[in-house]
Amino acid sequence: MTDPNALVGLETRDDAVVYALDPEHAIVQTVDFFTPVVDDPYWFGRIAAANALSDIWAMGARPLFALNVVGWPAQKLPLEQLGEVLRGGAESARLAGISILGGHSIDDPEPKYGLSVTGMVHPARILRNVGARPGDRLLLTKPLGSGIASTALKRGLAGAELESRAVELMAALNRTAGEVLALSLAVHALTDVTGFGLLGHAWGMAEGSAVRLVLAAQAVPVLPGILELAARDVVPGGSRANLAWVEPHVRFAPGLPAPLRQVLADAQTNGGLLAALDPGAAERVLAGLRTAGVQAVEVGEVAAVSPGDQPGIDVR
Ligand code: CO
Ligand code: CO
């Protein structure tokens, strides 16, 4: 990456790229799409679009507009269903306060949907997934469990209650959380919890910030029923791979149950924001989030790396 206007690129696995236009304006750009996580095409569209938008808020930015990205098996599935997917996507865009202005579709053996989203941020206000400092408090704005819930749904093992909770959770925009956190001016590092799970995204923050993140496992919110499903091995392959990948960087408290370890690495669809906050502002920001209707929870703190030790995660 040699372009001097590229302020954030791929180097720390951040959520989106940021490109400076002038000293006061930078473009934030992201693209995200995937195969259906739920059967209902309208809710698939809602969730996929909300998930793509999330990376804009995770940079402290605001979205401006989006483009649809569509793969559709036109011979196998009726176009009315694609219409429902796009209607869901448009609803998430409306809730984000933006419009979908165009897009591109191809014939594809498997349905795929998502957005390319363009946002804007002041270059001095960019929030990155790095920059956490020792003493910072860690907040998480949504409970975990959507990956395991989706797998349970596909295998017919989820009840109606879990289904509606999981769909609601995955479709919920990170807009309010992102706006409150950006306005607080107290965030040192921010990311959204998606495919790599809480531990995977926390590891990205720890490594890039050269700190240790100390998570209080019992404080991490989890959808009801998810730990039981994990104990029965109802776990997506991606979440299993996450745990194997991140484990060399994590010290689990002895006796921390295996299902809980797995849930902490569960691949999330449009999961919550993970923020490292200035400790002096943590209570105020937490209260602000709750007043705005975001069920944010403090899940731990940031610690310095002791001499001879490595950046990583401690789960207590
Ligand atoms: Co992200
Ligand atoms: Co993304």
Side-chain angles (χ1 to χ4, degrees):
M1 195 173 76
T2 54
D3 189 329
N5 293 318
L7 303 181
V8 178
L10 297 168
E11 62 287 339
T12 63
R13 307 192 296 271
D14 216 325
D15 297 293
V17 298
V18 184
Y19 192 89
L21 297 177
D22 62 43
E24 308 213 318
H25 303 91
I27 290 176
V28 182
Q29 186 70 46
T30 184
V31 59
D32 227 306
F33 61 97
F34 46 60
T35 54
V37 287
V38 290
D39 283 340
D40 184 293
Y42 170 79
W43 284 102
F44 169 46
R46 282 275 298 258
I47 292 166
N51 180 73
L53 281 154
S54 179
D55 281 328
I56 298 289
W57 293 303
M59 301 302 297
R62 68 184 172 90
L64 296 175
F65 64 90
L67 306 176
N68 283 318
V69 181
V70 177
W72 198 259
Q75 315 301 321
K76 270 189 349 204
L77 291 175
L79 279 176
E80 291 73 37
Q81 280 190 20
L82 174 56
E84 282 297 285
V85 173
L86 298 180
R87 190 171 71 84
E91 176 61 9
S92 280
R94 188 188 69 76
L95 293 167
I98 65 162
S99 299
I100 296 172
L101 301 180
H104 185 73
S105 59
I106 60 163
D107 196 36
D108 194 325
E110 229 187 324
K112 298 182 183 77
Y113 178 63
L115 298 177
S116 169
V117 189
T118 302
M120 186 82 103
V121 70
H122 190 290
R125 295 284 190 86
I126 299 165
L127 296 175
R128 306 197 49 182
N129 67 340
V130 301
R133 305 175 198 171
D136 281 355
R137 313 262 288 270
L138 296 170
L139 298 190
L140 180 66
T141 65
K142 283 189 189 185
L144 302 181
S146 61
I148 287 169
S150 297
T151 296
L153 282 172
K154 280 178 191 153
R155 296 189 197 165
L157 297 170
E161 168 77 13
L162 178 60
E163 175 166 15
S164 65
R165 291 285 295 265
V167 168
E168 193 186 333
L169 184 70
M170 291 189 284
L173 299 192
N174 280 324
R175 177 181 181 174
T176 308
E179 287 175 352
V180 171
L181 288 167
L183 281 172
S184 77
L185 303 181
V187 179
H188 293 156
L190 186 65
T191 192
D192 61 340
V193 178
T194 51
F196 296 111
L198 176 61
L199 290 180
H201 292 277
W203 162 236
M205 187 178 282
E207 183 184 34
S209 309
V211 295
R212 294 195 70 85
L213 298 198
V214 183
L215 295 173
Q218 299 308 326
V220 176
V222 179
L223 278 180
I226 293 300
L227 282 163
E228 292 74 8
L229 286 163
R232 290 162 58 196
D233 240 9
V234 182
V235 175
S239 300
R240 245 182 259 284
N242 282 345
L243 185 57
W245 165 70
V246 79
E247 245 174 350
H249 312 290
V250 183
R251 287 186 204 125
F252 290 105
L256 201 80
L260 181 52
R261 298 179 190 211
Q262 186 56 73
V263 169
L264 294 174
D266 185 34
Q268 301 298 283
T269 299
N270 192 30
L273 297 176
L274 173 67
L277 274 178
D278 189 294
E283 295 306 324
R284 166 176 66 82
V285 176
L286 201 53
L289 285 166
R290 294 209 174 128
T291 304
V294 178
Q295 297 308 309
V297 175
E298 185 169 346
V299 295
E301 61 191 12
V302 179
V305 180
S306 312
D309 201 1
Q310 302 287 325
I313 303 167
D314 299 286
V315 184
R316 292 183 179 156

